[in-house]
Amino acid sequence: MINKFLTDIKIIKNAINTKKLVIFAGAGISIDAGVASWGKLIDKIKKDLDLPENETDYLKIPQIYYNERQEKEYIEKIRKVLGHKKLKHNEIHEEIFALNPEHILTTNFEDLLEQVINKNSLPFSLVKQDVDLPYSNNTKLLVKIHGDLESTNFVLKEDDYIN
């Protein structure tokens, strides 16, 4: 176990030194900052719907909410549950940038990584959607592969994944 750990550390150090470190960051990095996990987000959406208790399809539940309540209410609900513009980044977000990655790919919709970029004036371009990529001013990218709460283009419901 310790040998694998040491080997992994060497690989990460080499990636940092050769400017090839790419970090993939999911919802787990933001839970300590107060952002609901995917499961908790779906549970809060489900509470507003008349669904059977055994309905657990994480793509279908937000789709049903969207279909019943339409876009405006759907976006407001997701923003409210995820604490949009109300939460502050945590130490994990800071430490990710301390590793000096070339790129960060995230499935997170909230703006906690951007807060660190802005606070520390880091040379990262933000890619919230495909059309942002050609306009990146920096070689380092923060790519929000599931979209962004501010742009309301986030990927959560069934139709989003299909599209």
Side-chain angles (χ1 to χ4, degrees):
M1 183 82 137
I2 194 80
N3 287 336
K4 181 185 179 333
F5 176 75
L6 293 174
T7 301
D8 290 346
I9 296 296
K10 286 179 188 174
I11 291 169
I12 292 169
K13 280 186 173 183
N14 184 52
I16 292 169
N17 292 337
T18 58
K19 297 186 180 209
K20 293 183 179 177
L21 181 65
V22 177
I23 293 177
F24 182 87
I29 67 167
S30 297
I31 290 173
D32 285 347
V35 177
S37 67
W38 191 17
K40 288 188 179 179
L41 171 61
I42 300 305
D43 287 345
K44 291 193 181 225
I45 293 169
K46 186 177 176 181
K47 283 182 183 177
D48 291 350
L49 300 169
D50 290 325
L51 295 175
E53 209 41 55
N54 65 348
E55 178 57 70
T56 58
D57 187 324
Y58 278 17
L59 302 182
K60 188 176 180 181
I61 293 168
Q63 186 67 55
I64 293 167
Y65 190 98
Y66 179 89
N67 293 347
E68 287 185 9
R69 305 292 176 90
Q70 298 302 304
E71 186 174 24
K72 182 180 183 301
E73 255 188 81
Y74 171 75
I75 289 168
E76 288 173 355
K77 177 69 172 182
I78 304 306
R79 283 178 170 173
K80 181 180 180 187
V81 173
L82 295 180
H84 182 57
K85 299 291 184 185
K86 292 183 175 42
L87 301 175
K88 187 177 181 329
H89 67 276
N90 63 30
E91 191 174 322
I92 296 170
H93 298 101
E94 295 269 358
E95 290 301 319
I96 287 171
F97 287 98
L99 291 170
N100 195 27
E102 289 304 300
H103 307 298
I104 300 170
L105 307 176
T106 185
T107 54
N108 296 2
F109 314 139
E110 83 315 280
D111 70 343
L112 303 181
L113 289 166
E114 293 99 295
Q115 289 178 18
V116 178
I117 291 170
N118 293 334
K119 174 186 165 196
N120 299 312
S121 300
L122 298 174
F124 276 81
S125 288
L126 180 59
V127 178
K128 296 180 183 182
Q129 51 193 346
D130 297 349
V131 297
D132 295 338
L133 200 51
Y135 301 101
S136 302
N137 294 324
N138 301 296
T139 57
K140 293 182 176 232
L141 302 174
L142 169 59
V143 182
K144 299 184 85 171
I145 60 176
H146 280 185
D148 181 74
L149 284 175
E150 190 65 32
S151 301
T152 69
N153 66 333
F154 47 88
V155 176
L156 180 63
K157 57 188 174 25
E158 201 169 38
D159 284 353
D160 300 331
Y161 280 92
I162 290 170
N163 292 331

